[in-house]
Amino acid sequence: MNLELKQHFANLSDSEFLFDTDLSRSSTFALVARGSLLKVRSVPALKKALKLCTEYRLHYKVIGLGANLVLPESFDGLYIKLLLPTPETKMELRETYRFPASINLSKLTQFAAKVGLKGWEVFTGIPATLGGAIFMNAGTRLGEISELVTRVEYITAEGEEQSLIIGSENERERAFSYRKNHFCHNSENKFGRDAIITYVELTHKGYDDTIKDSIKDYQLKRNRSQPISQKTCGCVFKNASRKLHAGKCIDLLGLKGLSHGALSVDHTHANFMVNRGGASAHEFEKLVKMIKSELYLHYGVHFELEVQVSTPL
């Protein structure tokens, strides 16, 4: 990043620019990582930042909570963290609710429990922002967040505001698939410049006073079956099919506890890797290749990564 561009980012209003900073605490995996970070607090600031990235042909990536992300040891592009203000939302039943992409899903879960919104239990326990959850169509055994989306507002790499309205199942199927969205990506863009989600409108499936109990019960189950208190990136692999669940397949191969460097396959849930301290993306890559090789050898299937990485493995 040249001096002129650094100065542009440093002078952006409604933002904070940190050049070549330690990012090990910017993700739940806590890998050794450094890079430049721009904290953005308004849509106009984000538009200006993306225009600069396009003008200077600079790679960028949104961090969010960093819960589904593997950061490299160094990155010569720009990490962007949205800190959009969250308006006060009345505790009342409405047809739709509009939230900034930077809001934590845990706050929405709390809101759903208080109001009794059916359907919102599908993202119980997912450590992500709303934008991140939409970007990867996050879900649990209860369903996917795409089931609730009626509108997505986003900024393109050129700094243009656009929105996607989802009013039918056909539109939903075109916009989302398993752990993936189909509207933020630009296949013609060689610099990995995806559009960035800014606001999301969610609907629900009616009202049920017992939703708070369902949310509490499912959260307790996740706490018992996943290494919630450990340094992880969430689920590493996507399920290959409804019958071939990644965690179960890894467990059946006896790979729990398999280690490389400071990383190891978790003993509680085999689709999680735990960073015991000081691990790097290079170690993650090596351990992933070891596991994928064993999975293909025994099941004849290439398991895809669910976690987002900066470079393909």
Side-chain angles (χ1 to χ4, degrees):
M1 188 181 298
N2 64 40
L3 181 61
E4 181 182 14
L5 186 53
K6 291 179 194 175
Q7 197 63 45
H8 281 312
F9 286 131
N11 291 336
L12 274 180
S13 59
D14 297 331
S15 65
E16 178 185 359
F17 178 60
L18 302 173
F19 177 70
D20 190 27
T21 188
D22 179 10
L23 295 171
S24 59
R25 295 184 179 181
S26 294
S27 74
T28 58
F29 212 5
L31 298 180
V32 174
R34 295 193 69 84
S36 295
L37 174 67
L38 184 69
K39 299 179 181 180
V40 181
R41 296 182 174 84
S42 72
V43 170
L46 177 60
K47 292 170 66 175
K48 291 178 182 178
L50 296 189
K51 286 180 180 178
L52 284 171
C53 289
T54 296
E55 180 183 348
Y56 285 85
R57 301 169 68 84
L58 185 72
H59 293 263
Y60 62 77
K61 191 169 186 63
V62 179
I63 286 187
L65 291 185
N68 183 245
L69 193 62
V70 173
L71 299 181
E73 291 186 59
S74 63
F75 180 57
D76 59 3
L78 179 71
Y79 289 113
I80 297 174
K81 186 176 182 66
L82 295 184
L83 298 171
L84 301 177
T86 302
E88 196 69 33
T89 303
K90 293 182 179 180
M91 294 296 177
E92 60 184 18
L93 186 64
R94 301 205 303 263
E95 184 177 345
T96 61
Y97 299 86
R98 181 176 178 266
F99 296 101
S102 50
I103 192 171
N104 195 319
L105 284 188
S106 63
K107 291 186 177 181
L108 298 188
T109 302
Q110 294 170 11
F111 180 76
K114 291 180 180 179
V115 180
L117 300 178
K118 291 177 64 176
W120 287 32
E121 67 274 14
V122 302
F123 47 73
T124 299
I126 297 176
T129 61
L130 177 58
I134 298 300
F135 187 85
M136 68 164 291
N137 189 19
T140 63
R141 293 179 181 176
L142 303 177
E144 297 176 329
I145 195 169
S146 59
E147 302 168 18
L148 306 166
V149 179
T150 55
R151 182 187 180 94
V152 181
E153 299 170 35
Y154 56 92
I155 308 296
T156 68
E158 293 72 33
E160 298 176 355
E161 294 186 59
Q162 294 190 11
S163 63
L164 174 71
I165 298 175
I166 302 174
S168 68
E169 281 304 310
N170 286 337
E171 290 172 337
R172 196 177 314 281
E173 290 175 3
R174 287 196 296 270
F176 296 98
S177 59
Y178 177 59
R179 299 297 179 263
K180 187 181 297 184
N181 82 80
H182 301 290
F183 50 89
C184 282
H185 308 289
N186 184 351
S187 59
E188 298 179 357
N189 198 314
K190 298 180 181 179
F191 286 84
R193 300 196 193 99
D194 291 326
I196 296 180
I197 298 169
T198 53
Y199 287 90
V200 179
E201 186 180 83
L202 299 175
T203 188
H204 53 84
K205 299 180 180 180
Y207 174 80
D208 186 345
D209 192 43
T210 66
I211 284 298
K212 60 181 180 293
D213 298 321
S214 300
I215 289 174
K216 182 179 179 180
D217 290 344
Y218 193 72
Q219 183 66 66
L220 289 173
K221 290 179 181 178
R222 287 178 68 93
N223 291 346
R224 289 194 297 266
S225 63
Q226 298 179 5
I228 301 299
S229 62
Q230 302 296 315
K231 297 174 182 177
T232 79
C233 59
C235 287
V236 175
F237 297 99
K238 296 179 182 180
N239 295 329
S241 68
R242 291 184 178 180
K243 293 184 178 180
L244 287 176
H245 287 237
K248 184 175 182 180
C249 291
I250 296 170
D251 188 6
L252 290 174
L253 291 178
L255 297 180
K256 282 185 175 179
L258 178 67
S259 300
H260 181 76
L263 286 181
S264 61
V265 177
D266 182 56
H267 286 280
T268 304
H269 194 310
N271 200 17
F272 282 71
M273 289 182 187
V274 176
N275 177 7
R276 301 190 302 275
S280 67
H282 179 70
E283 292 174 8
F284 173 80
E285 179 180 354
K286 292 293 185 182
L287 189 53
V288 163
K289 287 183 177 179
M290 292 164 63
I291 296 171
K292 289 183 75 172
S293 177
E294 290 297 315
L295 287 170
Y296 184 74
L297 180 64
H298 289 81
Y299 297 101
V301 175
H302 291 289
F303 280 76
E304 297 180 10
L305 287 177
E306 179 171 320
V307 63
Q308 301 289 310
V309 295
S310 296
T311 56
L313 302 181

